[in-house]
């Protein structure tokens, strides 16, 4: 029997990164998928990682160790499999879901079993982690279909650990799911789901589990009232017998849900005080003293070391009132953090000293626990070090640059305004660029061949010098330019051979960003990203892209598009400093990029694209917070773009078509041209345009670059004809969905050849004045104008 150790405060954790400090799981998974590793070796790798991570948490001094946070792909998929929610196309016949059925759901294929379309994948709340969307249908049945959770609990107990199983709760699982059936209310499936959850809890109880953590992150969203009722139904059923439940919320305040939550018969509640510290008074007032309150005080989403004394000042009064029923934890699962700062040997000492990764976050939780239980004196040196680090960071000259702060403070409305309104600019740009109707262009990158990657790696490792690197890159650019001219594209790009990653390239050349060696975070399945650390005031020591752009323009008479990553995307794909508002950090990036935009213009670049693929994912979880975000995000884009003459054409690019709910903000960016992803879902985009007259030019992608398939001329023409019903010809561009870096040259050449041909046919049709009958008057007018 494992009983919670009686200490005056419990320290626990909501989840640990599963990928491994050296990305061991990534390698094992990819080897298994490609047949280089057998099943038992993969399972052994998983078991080793679990044991290693549990022991690490045990040694850190946690009282309860999360189990069930590990996954071979994704924890939402694990939950679906646990519940027997396996879509029919995977041919599952009931019984325990085997590993390859699991991987087929995730990837569409596996070493064994037939290929089938994978489940849809989407972002986990406002993180960069992606989960597999549960597929729901009317009348769906559920059945306990995996023993993995129970096996892992047994595994942890055999190691002598006090296991706290983690489950994604029924409401959140349903909320995250999707039903194909039009108008089907997925909440109707709750009654069928609860008996399986009850069965899971009963089995855990039989395993002597004391506490189960039920993750219900949707508590931080704006929920319809039926879903609140759903919480009552579910937890009244589940809390009846079975282990005690710790209801875990994170990623935001649950203040508006407090009435609902307090009425649930759960033994404990976890709240995120890193993201939403302001909710503490309300939560403390509402949540009964007799029940456990777990406070997530250490930020589980960001890499900064905590100021422990400051945290204690907040915790001590709470502890005085709640005593042993106060629990301490990181704010959310540590899934979103790199594993161990100790691996970073190349960061500047001062920066290193202000950081904490997953392992260090646990130490912080445990230090706070000791300070509360045994008094501050018991951890004096640790507290002093934390205070000293906080002070050093506040005073650091690497972090704070008065000139940058002054420049942000002086931003006035004139900086975010182009000289003239769009109509005037468009006429001037047309006079300067003389583009044909339906101009063709691409999104920036061309295939990143092995040769390109090897050259970049050799240069970074110092195996080739600057001159040789530059010579080879120029050769790549020259080839890309020549190919585009042969294809007959109208606005060219240099192809981005010098960029491995669109954020890293700029971050490495700006002050204020740092890069780790091992700071990998799971994005989905075996895929990891290594976000830069945006730690200080941002400035641009020297031009970032100008020499490449100038060289590329020198090779052609056609306009060469300058290519930049926008300020919102730079922010969104980094670990961002927490000592000033995100909006201010974003303004700093915008000002640095604004200088780059003006330098490109001065170097003779007449078209400049500012990519913002992450613009939409910055949206806050709650609608009420959208306007504030959109305000500053739009302002930052306009700051970046606003310093050029009317004749200079500003493009932006975004890779999604869910446009409808933010189309006004996208219009407010006032980019002259926007290129967006639409090839797969032209309909979604057109809906947005039916309801809103987008004022500027737009290039809806007609070539789905995510697929090796080469679209035909007819297909692309059809997409363009559909777009013409909503977008006037004079403002319609022809381009792929996104950059071409992941494709190869034969594919790209064939597809772009067809794309250019589709544009030509459209032009010919519209100059003959016999355009599609669905296209109204404007094309006939232009026919006369030639
Ligand atoms: N310019 C970038 C490219 O072409 C844009 C990438 C993106 O939208 N994610 O690769
Ligand atoms: Zn894109």
């Amino acid at each position: 029997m494992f009983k919670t150790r009686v200490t005056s405060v419990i320290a626990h954790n909501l989840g640990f990164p599963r990928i491994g400090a050296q990305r061991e799981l990534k390698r094992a998974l990819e080897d298994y998928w490609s047949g280089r590793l057998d099943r038992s070796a993969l399972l052994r790798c998983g078991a080793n990682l679990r044991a290693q991570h549990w022991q690490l948490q045990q040694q850190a001094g946690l009282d309860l160790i999360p189990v069930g946070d590990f996954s071979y792909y994704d924890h939402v998929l694990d939950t679906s499999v646990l519940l027997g929610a396996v879509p029919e196309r995977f041919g599952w016949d009931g019984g325990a879901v085997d590993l390859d059925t699991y991987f087929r759901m995730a990837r569409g294929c596996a070493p064994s079993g037939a290929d089938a379309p994978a489940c849809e994948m989407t972002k986990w709340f406002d993180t960069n982690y992606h989960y597999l969307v549960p597929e729901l249908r009317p009348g769906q049945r559920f059945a306990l279909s995996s023993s993995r959770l129970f096996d892992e609990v047994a595994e942890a107990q055999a190691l002598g650990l006090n296991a706290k199983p983690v489950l994604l709760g029924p409401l959140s699982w349903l909320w995250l799911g999707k039903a194909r059936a039009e108008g089907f209310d997925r909440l109707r499936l709750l009654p069928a789901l609860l008996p399986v959850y009850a069965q899971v809890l009963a089995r855990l109880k039989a395993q002597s589990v004391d506490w189960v953590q039920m993750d219900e992150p949707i508590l931080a969203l704006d929920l319809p009232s039926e879903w609140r009722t759903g919480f009552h139904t579910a937890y009244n059923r589940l809390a009846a017998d079975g282990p005690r439940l710790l209801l875990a919320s994170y990623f935001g305040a649950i203040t508006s849900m407090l009435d609902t939550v307090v009425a649930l018969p759960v033994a404990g509640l976890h709240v995120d005080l890193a993201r939403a510290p302001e909710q503490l008074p309300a939560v403390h007032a509402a949540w009964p003293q007799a029940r456990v309150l777990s406070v997530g005080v250490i930020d589980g989403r960001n890499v900064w070391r905590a100021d422990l004394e400051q945290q204690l000042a907040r915790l001590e009064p709470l502890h005085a009132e709640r005593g042993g029923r106060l629990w301490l934890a990181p704010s959310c699962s540590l899934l979103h953090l790199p594993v161990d700062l100790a691996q970073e040997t190349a960061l500047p000492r001062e920066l290193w000293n202000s950081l904490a990764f997953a392992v260090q976050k646990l130490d912080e939780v445990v230090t706070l626990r000791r300070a509360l239980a045994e008094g501050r004196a018991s951890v004096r040196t640790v507290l002093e070090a934390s205070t000293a680090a906080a002070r050093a960071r506040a005073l650091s000259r690497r972090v704070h640059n008065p000139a940058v702060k002054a420049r942000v403070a002086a931003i006035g409305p004139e900086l975010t305004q182009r000289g003239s309104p769009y109509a005037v600019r468009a006429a001037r740009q047309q006079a300067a660029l003389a583009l044909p109707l339906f101009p063709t262009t691409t999104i920036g990158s061309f295939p990143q061949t092995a040769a390109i990657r090897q050259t970049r790696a050799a240069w970074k490792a110092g195996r080739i010098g600057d001159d040789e690197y530059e010579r080879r890159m120029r050769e790549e650019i020259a080839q890309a330019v020549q190919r585009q001219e042969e294809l007959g594209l109208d606005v060219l790009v240099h192809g981005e051979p010098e960029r491995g990653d669109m954020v890293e390239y700029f971050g490495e050349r700006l002050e204020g960003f740092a890069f780790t060696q091992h700071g990998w975070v799971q994005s989905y399945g075996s895929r990891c990203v290594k976000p830069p650390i945006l730690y200080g005031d941002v400035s641009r020591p020297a031009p970032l892209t100008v020499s490449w752009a100038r060289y590329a323009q020198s090779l052609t008479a056609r306009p060469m598009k300058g290519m930049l990553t926008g300020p919102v995307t730079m922010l969104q794909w980094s670990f961002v400093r927490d000592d000033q508002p995100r909006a201010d950090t974003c303004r700093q990036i915008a000002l640095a990029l604004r200088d780059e935009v003006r330098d490109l213009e001065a170097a003779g670049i007449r078209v400049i694209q500012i990519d913002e693929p992450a613009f939409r994912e910055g949206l806050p979880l709650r609608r009420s917070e959208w306007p504030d975000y959109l305000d500053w995000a739009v302002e930052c884009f306009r700051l970046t773009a606003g310093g050029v003459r009317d004749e200079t054409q500003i493009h932006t690019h975004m890779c999604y078509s869910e446009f409808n709910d933010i189309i006004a903000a996208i219009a407010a960016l006032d980019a002259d041209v926007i290129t967006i992803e639409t090839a797969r879902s032209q309909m979604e985009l057109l809906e947005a345009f039916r309801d809103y007259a987008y004022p500027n030019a737009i290039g809806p992608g007609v070539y789905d670059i995510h697929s090796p398939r080469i679209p035909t001329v007819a297909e692309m023409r059809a997409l363009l004809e559909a777009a013409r019903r909503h977008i006037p010809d004079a403002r319609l561009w022809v381009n792929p969905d996104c950059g071409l870096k992941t494709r190869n040259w034969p594919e790209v050449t064939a597809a772009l050849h067809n794309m250019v041909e589709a544009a030509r046919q459209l032009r010919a049709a519209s100059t003959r004045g016999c355009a599609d009958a669905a296209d109204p008057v404007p094309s006939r007018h232009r026919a006369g104008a030639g």
Side-chain angles (χ1 to χ4, degrees):
M1 193 68 178
F2 295 87
K3 272 282 160 224
T4 306
R5 211 199 313 159
V6 188
T7 58
S8 75
V9 182
I10 297 280
H12 74 120
N13 181 25
L14 274 61
F16 196 81
R18 50 184 81 123
I19 206 78
Q22 299 291 327
R23 286 181 294 159
E24 294 89 331
L25 185 60
K26 173 194 176 67
R27 302 226 165 73
L29 282 169
E30 288 172 2
D31 286 350
Y32 176 71
W33 294 333
S34 67
R36 287 191 300 264
L37 195 72
D38 65 19
R39 189 167 172 276
S40 61
L42 173 64
L43 297 180
R44 220 169 333 145
C45 167
N48 285 339
L49 283 172
R50 287 193 295 274
Q52 205 179 306
H53 296 159
W54 290 332
Q55 252 141 20
L56 204 146
Q57 296 176 82
Q58 169 91 342
Q59 278 154 16
L62 294 186
D63 302 290
L64 291 166
I65 313 286
V67 174
D69 54 338
F70 177 82
S71 177
Y72 285 101
Y73 204 96
D74 160 44
H75 57 274
V76 181
L77 177 62
D78 294 348
T79 314
S80 304
V81 161
L82 176 74
L83 301 168
V86 180
E88 251 164 54
R89 63 182 179 281
F90 298 103
W92 172 63
D93 55 3
V97 177
D98 64 294
L99 192 64
D100 277 2
T101 301
Y102 174 88
F103 285 138
R104 283 162 64 223
M105 289 173 75
R107 315 178 59 237
C109 55
S112 72
D115 291 1
C119 296
E120 187 187 334
M121 190 167 66
T122 192
K123 267 173 188 290
W124 174 246
F125 297 88
D126 57 355
T127 72
N128 262 324
Y129 176 82
H130 301 72
Y131 70 92
L132 286 150
V133 178
E135 289 180 30
L136 308 173
R137 54 174 196 279
Q140 190 166 349
R141 305 257 181 90
F142 300 97
L144 187 51
S145 304
S146 164
S147 65
R148 240 196 63 207
L149 178 62
F150 316 114
D151 300 342
E152 290 178 9
V153 167
E155 215 174 280
Q157 291 174 338
L159 293 170
L161 304 167
N162 194 4
K164 177 196 57 178
V166 180
L167 264 177
L168 180 58
L171 278 306
S172 292
W173 184 80
L174 275 180
W175 179 272
L176 297 173
K178 266 194 194 165
R180 282 240 187 92
E182 193 75 37
F184 174 68
D185 174 11
R186 54 211 194 283
L187 195 55
R188 298 237 312 262
L189 295 175
L190 186 62
L193 199 57
L194 292 179
V196 187
Y197 268 94
Q199 225 179 320
V200 171
L201 293 174
R203 276 193 58 175
L204 291 172
K205 188 172 188 180
Q207 287 183 290
S208 303
V209 162
D210 191 6
W211 281 94
V212 171
Q213 172 186 322
M214 279 285 213
D215 282 1
E216 290 284 11
I218 63 165
L219 286 168
L221 306 180
D222 303 308
L223 292 181
S225 66
E226 318 83 76
W227 285 77
R228 292 163 180 259
T229 315
F231 269 93
H232 290 291
T233 315
Y235 286 89
N236 278 312
R237 167 85 205 263
L238 298 180
D241 34 42
R244 289 187 275 181
L245 299 183
L246 175 73
L247 186 67
S249 67
Y250 38 84
F251 301 156
I254 58 163
T255 328
S256 63
M257 289 292 290
L258 267 176
D259 290 350
T260 303
V261 166
V262 169
L264 305 178
V266 293
L269 172 69
H270 173 86
V271 290
D272 182 340
L273 294 186
R275 193 62 169 283
E278 72 285 354
Q279 68 176 326
L280 180 59
V283 170
H284 178 48
W287 190 248
Q289 304 267 352
R291 296 200 240 167
V292 164
L293 178 63
S294 164
V295 288
V297 285
I298 298 297
D299 192 346
R301 283 278 294 274
N302 212 337
V303 292
W304 304 104
R305 182 174 180 175
D307 182 340
L308 295 175
E309 302 230 33
Q310 207 181 64
Q311 296 291 354
L312 278 174
R314 181 159 71 141
L315 288 171
E316 278 159 349
L318 204 59
H319 180 234
E321 288 188 49
R322 294 190 170 259
R325 297 210 173 81
L326 181 69
W327 289 16
L328 300 179
S331 57
C332 59
S333 167
L334 302 176
L335 177 65
H336 313 288
L337 288 180
V339 178
D340 192 356
L341 184 64
Q343 293 192 104
E344 300 300 328
T345 52
L347 287 173
R349 188 70 212 170
E350 189 191 82
L351 174 60
W352 191 92
N353 210 28
S354 63
L355 298 174
F357 294 175
V359 169
Q360 289 71 36
K361 299 275 175 180
L362 298 177
D363 290 338
E364 293 183 331
V365 171
V366 171
T367 301
L368 291 174
R369 195 261 320 268
R370 264 192 81 182
L372 292 181
E374 299 163 34
R376 288 194 187 200
S378 64
V379 284
R380 209 184 62 223
T381 46
V382 187
L383 292 185
E384 279 169 4
S386 154
T387 306
R391 193 165 309 140
R393 190 176 163 207
L395 299 175
S396 165
R397 272 197 277 150
R398 271 175 188 281
V399 175
H400 304 282
N401 178 338
V404 173
K405 291 193 205 296
R407 204 175 161 203
V408 168
I411 294 171
E414 72 289 351
L415 291 192
T416 59
Q417 262 326 322
R418 294 287 299 272
S420 307
Y422 170 73
V424 176
R425 299 196 311 261
R428 296 203 168 132
Q429 288 162 17
Q430 187 49 25
L433 299 169
L435 294 171
L437 198 56
F438 311 117
T440 53
T441 191
T442 60
I443 306 303
S445 57
F446 275 119
Q448 290 255 330
T449 58
I452 291 178
R453 275 182 272 129
Q454 278 156 16
T455 300
R456 261 201 331 263
W459 177 63
K460 280 204 167 184
R463 291 194 301 274
I464 59 170
D466 293 352
D467 291 348
E468 176 62 10
Y469 175 71
E470 176 145 345
R471 191 188 63 73
R472 292 199 207 169
M473 286 295 143
R474 285 189 167 211
E475 216 164 84
E476 294 291 344
I477 291 170
Q479 270 182 34
V481 170
Q482 194 193 335
R483 284 174 149 137
Q484 293 172 85
E485 288 200 326
E486 282 163 11
L487 283 162
L489 286 151
D490 300 308
V491 173
L492 311 194
V493 297
H494 79 291
E496 304 180 24
E498 78 289 8
R499 303 181 194 177
D501 175 277
M502 65 186 292
V503 170
E504 189 179 56
Y505 179 83
F506 289 90
E508 281 176 346
R509 285 157 184 80
L510 291 168
E511 295 292 338
F513 286 84
F515 292 82
T516 62
Q517 293 158 285
H518 307 280
W520 296 98
V521 177
Q522 188 181 21
S523 170
Y524 64 91
S526 68
R527 292 287 211 111
C528 300
V529 293
K530 191 151 70 67
I533 297 177
L534 208 181
Y535 67 91
D537 290 336
V538 177
S539 61
R540 187 190 70 140
L544 314 164
T545 62
V546 175
S547 67
W548 300 120
R550 185 191 283 123
Y551 171 69
Q553 182 66 84
S554 77
L555 301 172
T556 180
R558 302 184 187 207
M560 173 60 57
K561 194 156 54 159
M563 195 61 60
L564 305 174
T565 302
V568 180
T569 299
M570 292 295 296
L571 186 84
Q572 206 54 38
W573 289 351
S574 302
F575 284 117
V576 179
R577 58 193 295 189
D578 60 354
D579 59 348
Q580 69 182 20
R582 285 171 77 84
D584 283 343
T585 306
C586 199
R587 289 185 182 103
Q588 295 183 354
I589 309 171
L591 288 173
L593 293 172
R594 177 186 174 92
D595 296 343
E596 182 73 11
V597 168
R598 293 175 59 126
D599 283 351
L600 282 169
E601 180 185 62
I605 303 298
R606 294 168 289 165
V607 182
I608 300 167
Q609 179 171 311
I610 303 163
D611 287 325
E612 284 292 18
F615 189 83
R616 188 173 211 292
E617 66 186 57
L619 279 175
L621 294 175
R622 287 181 189 271
R623 281 244 176 194
S624 57
E625 293 164 18
W626 283 22
D628 177 55
Y629 164 75
L630 290 171
D631 265 4
W632 63 254
V634 168
E635 178 201 326
C636 287
F637 182 89
R638 294 176 61 125
L639 259 179
T640 306
V644 289
R645 296 179 301 133
D646 287 349
E647 288 74 8
T648 300
Q649 190 169 69
I650 297 288
H651 288 217
T652 188
H653 164 71
M654 298 179 179
C655 347
Y656 42 80
S657 53
E658 306 125 67
F659 234 53
N660 307 31
D661 48 4
I662 55 164
I663 193 159
I666 290 178
L669 298 176
D670 198 25
D672 297 302
V673 181
I674 181 170
T675 55
I676 49 170
E677 171 182 322
T678 44
R680 280 195 199 190
S681 58
Q682 188 92 56
M683 293 334 290
E684 275 183 41
L685 172 81
L686 295 182
E687 265 171 45
F689 286 93
R690 207 187 40 218
D691 307 332
Y692 184 94
Y694 183 79
N696 301 4
I698 185 153
V702 292
Y703 160 22
D704 172 14
I705 61 89
H706 302 102
S707 158
R709 232 186 117 252
I710 291 152
T712 63
V713 177
E715 265 170 62
M716 291 193 269
R717 242 197 100 168
L719 287 173
L720 288 166
E721 292 294 359
R724 287 175 82 192
R725 292 192 201 113
H726 300 270
I727 304 162
D729 287 357
R731 290 196 262 123
L732 183 58
W733 282 63
V734 179
N735 47 263
D737 267 345
C738 193
L740 300 164
K741 68 194 268 187
T742 56
R743 301 262 63 93
N744 61 41
W745 273 110
E747 288 162 359
V748 163
T749 311
L752 292 181
H753 173 85
N754 289 353
M755 188 185 90
V756 169
E757 179 55 29
R760 274 199 193 119
Q761 290 184 7
L762 226 55
R763 272 173 217 151
S766 82
T767 32
R768 277 199 311 272
C770 59
D772 182 351
D775 183 47
V777 202
S779 64
R780 234 169 285 138
H781 277 299
R782 262 189 317 276

